[in-house]
Amino acid sequence: MRREFRFAAVWLVILSAVLAACSDSASEPSSERGEPLVTGLPDFTRLVEKEGPAVVNISTVTHRDESSAADQLKQLPEFFQHFFEQFGGEGDMPSLPEQDDTRSLGSGFIISADGYVLTNNHVVAEADEIMVRLQDRRELPAELVGADEQSDLALLKVDAGDLPVVDIGSSADLKVGEWVLAIGAPFGFDSSVTAGIVSAKGRSLPSDSYVPFIQTDVAINPGNSGGPLFNLSGEVVGINSQIFSRSGGYMGVSFAIPMDMAMDVVSQLKDGGKVSRGWLGVLIQEVDRDLAESFGLDSPRGALVSQVLAGSPAEAAGVEPGDVITRFNDETIYRSSELPRWVGLVKPESDVDMVVIRDGEKKTLSVTIGLLPDNPEMALKGGAESDKASPAVKLGLAVREASASELSRLDLKAGVVVTQVSEGPARQAGIQAGDILVTLHNTPINSAADLADAAAALPEGGTVAALVNRDGTPRFLALKLP
């Protein structure tokens, strides 16, 4: 019995040692596991204390237009026009309610101690009065030095000195995943601070061809527009400009204008009150997998030229429809949306090289970049002087013929591919680049010539229907004609 007890005790000791060893090995970190890549959360308090005073609230007032009663009457539906004309008395137009002044709020930041303030163009566009409110509650009237609609930037000047200023950084040094912070006035709440990370760089949005946006998940809402985006060093690396939203409020995706680009715009606005951009004169589209194969590319890349505008720098350089631009001025073109911004950065009258794929072969063309016309219609016409823009251009549309395979895939008998949408009825109606325009005012559209003829026959000042096919889904959109 004693011998059996001894034997059992020995096994108990061995078992305890084994369990202890296992426990120790489980508690120790594996030698194969590396050091943590992320530790702790940033403390933004010092950044806000130092840079916050240079962030301002911008309020604007746009006075109502003084219009006659007759002009106001014309804005009413036809039924009410007849009613007022019948009961208002001859020569006695009815008195209509006066429109109130329009007011808006936004953000901005001081970039120089002598009073220069940077904000978004859409914050101050068409404003008759601009007021800048500092964190110390001073309110200063501001003068618009210059604005650039293409980049959505505006430069203001207040009459003051020794103002707090932000530190200007470089957006080129930003990395995806990096912490960033915004200060602004969402919904009018001054000096509100929100933080997040850089989600992506170089984003192109359908409504903006010349801005490689910084995408973040920083909470941005109405009133934040024009405010600064800081890195952890307290440097402004972007200007908060837009959000992607289905509700009108923040939904986790926001966009900022890169500071490197903004300071170039500031320099030009200071010098001449406007911004000059390079212009090539082509209509382009994205290269998908099937098009890449048909043009002899090993992968979808580049910008496919669908049209070369008459009288443009591209025509003079020998660019042809069907060319795929893969490199421009030493910059590789991966997506078609990248080309406009690289062209826009080139000073007019500069000579640059451009690599295109034509008939499966690589060619290098030299092109003298032109000046982008101020009027988008002139840019789409090729810059040629004319008293009257083509009817299709007045709609704000540029198109190319759809291939048989594109029509067959969507089971369509007619249609043209929308390649570009500028300011005009088409954009207001919601037509987008890539849509297949099937009919306009019940007229089938098979070519750009068909579109021009149909547009020329449209009534003035009316509303017509356009049938488009978007991603296989047909939909009618209403175009309100000027």
Side-chain angles (χ1 to χ4, degrees), residues 3 9-10 53-54 58 61 70 89 103 113 125 157 173 203 280 298 315 332 379-380 387 392 401 437 468:
R3 184 175 179 186
V10 170
I58 296 176
V61 177
R103 302 174 184 272
K157 180 71 167 62
D173 298 332
R203 284 290 194 220
L280 185 58
D298 54 3
E315 183 184 55
T332 301
L380 288 178
D387 294 334
E401 293 187 12
L437 177 61
V468 302

Side-chain angles (χ1 to χ4, degrees), residues 5-76:
F5 175 77
R6 244 186 243 155
F7 182 76
V10 170
W11 275 108
L12 184 59
V13 171
I14 295 174
L15 181 59
S16 299
V18 171
L19 291 175
C22 291
S23 176
D24 291 342
S25 63
S27 62
E28 292 179 1
S30 171
S31 58
E32 297 179 358
R33 184 179 300 172
E35 291 296 323
L37 296 178
V38 179
T39 57
L41 294 173
D43 181 355
F44 298 108
T45 54
R46 290 177 57 199
L47 190 162
V48 175
E49 289 171 359
K50 180 177 182 295
E51 302 294 336
V55 182
V56 300
N57 186 5
I58 296 176
S59 58
T60 68
V61 177
T62 303
H63 299 310
R64 66 178 180 86
D65 294 332
E66 294 293 340
S67 58
S68 65
D71 291 335
Q72 295 181 56
L73 185 64
K74 291 177 182 178
Q75 298 174 13
L76 294 175

